[in-house]
Amino acid sequence: MAKKVVLAYSGGLDTSVAVRWMIEQWGVEVVCVLVDVGQDPDSSESFESIRSRALAAGAMDFVVVDAREEMARYFCGPAIAANALYEGKYPLVSALSRPVIVRHLVDQARTFGADAVAHGSTGKGNDQVRFEVGVHALAPDLDVLAPVRLWGMSRADSVDFAEKWGIPIKATKEKIYSIDENLWGRAIECGEIEDPWAPPPEEPYTLTRIRTDVPVELTISFRQGVPVALDGEAMGLADLLKALTDRVGPTGFGRLDMVENRRVGIKSREVYECPAALALITAHADLEDLVLERELHHEKARLQIRWAELVYDGMWFSPLKEALDAFFQETQRHVSGDVRMRFEAPGVGRVTGRRSPEALYDLGLATYEAADSFNHFDSEGFVKIYGLGLKTWAARQGAKNATPQS
Ligand code: ARG
């Protein structure tokens, strides 16, 4: 059994109770690590008050790691390059933050000489998979402990447990939503959302409450696939995500309501708000339409689906995912330029223009005006040869099938 454990600590009920529970059940020492991935930017309590909760629960130490820049650059950046949308919709909000947290858990485990790490995920979700598979990929020697999956306590039991041990918690016995947040967006589960027919409640949304005049128009600039400026103002990706969330969220853009397939075989209805993520992926994909050569573009689209599945499934640190990153990196060499988007409430945002010095769009070829540079006579032979096989088939075998039979 492990002796010293580094716990991914959020400051919430479950991870606070987990500190004391692990000490009592397993006799371990617990170090709490809070990884700041941009969660709860407005209403968060101070790290000081979270620290005192961790210590009150019995932790031997508490560490905060600011991983916002890292998450933006090395996790959201590749997700933009991959236009990553799991099942065509979900921009992987929670799936992207877990490997960031895993990296720091392993780091802190080494610093503190711990022999295990722990997380507060339940047995029904994807996050346990991401934590455990991720830790084992980086540190096969470390144990991973999942107290919440084992303890069999209801929420009310946990509140009683916290009271008994004098752990100061804000949570009450009724909790409606389970919310996970970072600078890529917010994931909301539980409560009435569990009924797939029930319309999503307005209450849990924070980023996309409508509170601005529309339309909002803005221009996003990309350099080699990376967003580098908003309306001409250069900024780092973490700042850009924040600025974009603040500009676009209040138009109501960025909500998702979906039934998704979890890795553990459960279908679940979830709602999300990810204004920055969805705006950036939309803009980036549009710029690629302008600059990517056709065959590369089509092949990339196929591989993007795989990348999103791998990341959703907790395979961030896998060789296949890294090889796909290398491929996407290569595809981004010419993805530089500007994309203009227009947002109209409620929740509508679309691209209204794109430009790039690297554009493959050639007006001389594309125009229907008289002064084009396209040789129309070349098309005649091309089309004949292109359709020759089909024509031969039709003459011998197929023509009778070409018209519907009555
Ligand atoms: N279903 C989403 C995912 O698997 C969101 C999970 C949200 N996690 C949470 N602890 N509420 O990525």
Side-chain angles (χ1 to χ4, degrees):
M1 190 66 207
K3 293 188 187 65
K4 194 184 279 182
V5 179
V6 169
L7 169 68
Y9 185 67
S10 71
L13 175 66
D14 280 346
T15 52
S16 299
V17 166
V19 175
R20 175 50 64 188
W21 192 87
M22 288 194 291
I23 294 170
E24 292 308 308
Q25 292 290 316
W26 297 329
V28 293
E29 289 184 299
V30 180
V31 176
C32 287
V33 177
L34 189 146
V35 182
D36 182 0
V37 284
Q39 58 270 47
D40 209 16
D42 302 321
S43 63
S44 75
E45 58 176 328
S46 71
F47 290 140
E48 268 323 298
S49 93
I50 296 178
R51 165 194 295 275
S52 47
R53 183 173 308 127
L55 298 180
M60 61 168 281
D61 210 336
F62 170 84
V63 179
V64 181
V65 184
D66 181 354
R68 287 173 296 179
E69 275 301 331
E70 175 189 350
M71 165 136 183
R73 234 172 118 179
Y74 300 110
F75 293 79
C76 302
I80 296 167
N83 297 316
L85 297 173
Y86 177 65
E87 297 188 335
K89 296 179 201 160
Y90 166 50
L92 299 169
V93 174
S94 305
L96 284 179
S97 76
R98 293 309 184 268
V100 183
I101 299 169
V102 160
R103 280 204 53 219
H104 290 287
L105 284 181
V106 170
D107 239 39
Q108 296 296 329
R110 299 307 186 207
T111 305
F112 281 90
D115 43 8
V117 301
H119 63 78
S121 304
T122 68
K124 283 186 146 186
N126 297 309
D127 291 329
Q128 55 176 344
V129 180
R130 297 166 185 155
F131 275 121
E132 289 169 44
V133 173
V135 170
H136 288 142
L138 294 184
D141 58 304
L142 290 178
D143 271 344
V144 189
L145 309 175
V148 177
R149 199 166 59 195
L150 296 172
W151 67 31
M153 285 194 279
S154 68
R155 185 171 175 85
D157 296 339
S158 299
V159 171
D160 291 339
F161 183 99
E163 254 159 43
K164 176 175 154 215
W165 286 96
I167 306 169
I169 46 146
K170 293 198 297 188
T172 56
K173 288 191 180 175
E174 303 79 48
K175 177 190 181 183
I176 315 181
Y177 306 111
S178 164
I179 295 175
D180 184 50
E181 175 166 24
N182 58 60
L183 41 75
W184 202 229
R186 292 174 82 242
I188 305 159
E189 322 172 290
C190 305
E192 63 262 58
I193 297 165
E194 288 181 351
D195 172 0
W197 177 247
E202 196 55 32
E203 189 199 336
Y205 292 116
T206 60
L207 310 174
T208 55
R209 289 249 166 99
I210 294 173
R211 53 201 142 81
T212 190
D213 290 337
V214 289
V216 167
E217 219 175 59
L218 48 83
T219 299
I220 303 162
S221 305
F222 292 85
R223 194 186 308 133
Q224 300 198 319
V226 180
V228 291
L230 199 55
D231 282 337
E233 190 188 332
M235 45 185 111
L237 191 48
D239 289 336
L240 193 143
L241 288 172
K242 174 98 181 67
L244 196 54
T245 301
D246 291 346
R247 295 260 320 263
V248 166
T251 68
F253 176 83
R255 290 187 186 182
L256 280 178
D257 174 354
M258 70 185 282
V259 175
E260 73 191 46
N261 289 292
R262 290 187 184 164
R263 178 64 277 200
V264 294
I266 299 172
K267 277 197 192 290
S268 95
R269 194 280 188 101
E270 319 224 356
V271 303
Y272 301 97
E273 47 179 357
C274 349
L278 291 176
L280 286 177
I281 290 172
T282 305
H284 174 262
D286 193 285
L287 182 58
E288 288 189 331
D289 293 343
L290 188 65
V291 300
L292 289 190
E293 181 273 332
R294 179 181 187 259
E295 301 309 315
L296 179 65
H297 199 181
H298 289 188
E299 198 56 35
K300 178 172 185 281
R302 285 186 268 270
L303 295 173
Q304 287 173 180
I305 297 169
R306 193 77 183 96
W307 194 94
E309 284 169 357
L310 287 167
V311 172
Y312 186 88
D313 290 351
M315 292 287 167
W316 180 271
F317 300 107
S318 69
L320 175 56
K321 187 255 159 199
E322 291 195 350
L324 290 177
D325 276 333
F327 172 81
F328 291 143
Q329 188 65 37
E330 168 67 24
T331 65
Q332 298 302 291
R333 282 201 287 153
H334 304 289
V335 186
S336 301
D338 301 324
V339 179
R340 191 194 322 107
M341 291 190 77
R342 183 182 165 94
F343 299 88
E344 299 170 54
V348 179
R350 46 174 85 87
V351 172
T352 58
R354 71 289 287 157
R355 64 181 175 193
S356 167
E358 314 260 23
L360 299 181
Y361 180 89
D362 181 334
L363 187 63
L365 292 177
T367 184
Y368 284 95
E369 304 295 317
D372 65 321
S373 55
F374 183 80
N375 186 349
H376 295 249
F377 297 106
D378 288 347
S379 285
E380 191 180 331
F382 166 74
V383 177
K384 257 190 202 152
I385 304 282
Y386 174 73
L388 183 59
L390 196 54
K391 190 177 172 193
T392 307
W393 167 80
R396 293 284 182 282
Q397 312 160 358
K400 58 182 178 302
N401 297 326
T403 37
Q405 309 287 310
S406 56

